[in-house]
Amino acid sequence: QEIIITKSKKYLPLIGAYGVIPKATKNVWDCQFIQEKEGELTLVIVKDKKYSELDEKKLFIEFQKRFGDEIILSFEYVNDIDRTQMGKSRFLIQKLPIKI
């Protein structure tokens, strides 16, 4: 299970974020979360042609509803997302040590 670390050092499953993106917008072609610091996440997005600033605002609002002030969300836009050897993209790149 993909785990993120909040500002208050709590471990949260990222599973709650799976539905946030399609609920907020249909204009994301592909995406991936990256966590490098506690309480911060970067949402890497491959935009669909119709993606706009409004989509980013909607994503931010929906994400904040789910995680509140425990996570600071930033956005990064790319042309494509790296795939695994099996051809899949990872939903979360966790760069912090998770000790359960």
Side-chain angles (χ1 to χ4, degrees):
Q1 192 168 10
E2 296 166 319
I3 304 290
I4 57 173
I5 304 172
T6 67
K7 286 182 191 177
S8 60
K9 302 187 186 307
K10 292 179 185 172
Y11 287 14
L12 291 179
L14 194 57
I15 195 162
Y18 287 121
V20 169
I21 295 157
K23 184 177 181 181
T25 179
K26 305 287 186 241
N27 298 324
V28 171
W29 178 257
D30 200 2
C31 64
Q32 181 176 69
F33 287 98
I34 299 174
Q35 184 168 39
E36 297 181 86
K37 295 180 182 177
E38 290 179 358
E40 296 180 22
L41 277 179
T42 301
L43 178 54
V44 179
I45 294 175
V46 177
K47 299 178 190 179
D48 190 59
K49 292 177 185 178
K50 295 180 182 180
Y51 189 92
S52 71
E53 195 174 306
L54 180 60
D55 293 296
E56 183 177 298
K57 288 178 185 175
K58 288 178 182 179
L59 284 164
F60 184 82
I61 289 166
E62 287 301 320
F63 197 82
Q64 198 164 34
K65 284 180 190 176
R66 171 66 178 96
F67 294 101
D69 293 333
E70 282 292 316
I71 297 290
I72 296 168
L73 182 65
S74 61
F75 297 89
E76 179 181 334
Y77 298 97
V78 297
N79 292 324
D80 64 322
I81 292 176
D82 290 337
R83 304 275 175 192
T84 65
Q85 289 181 342
M86 300 295 288
K88 297 181 179 184
S89 62
R90 292 172 50 200
F91 193 61
L92 172 66
I93 305 294
Q94 179 56 269
K95 296 189 177 184
L96 299 175
I98 302 291
K99 300 172 186 169
I100 298 179

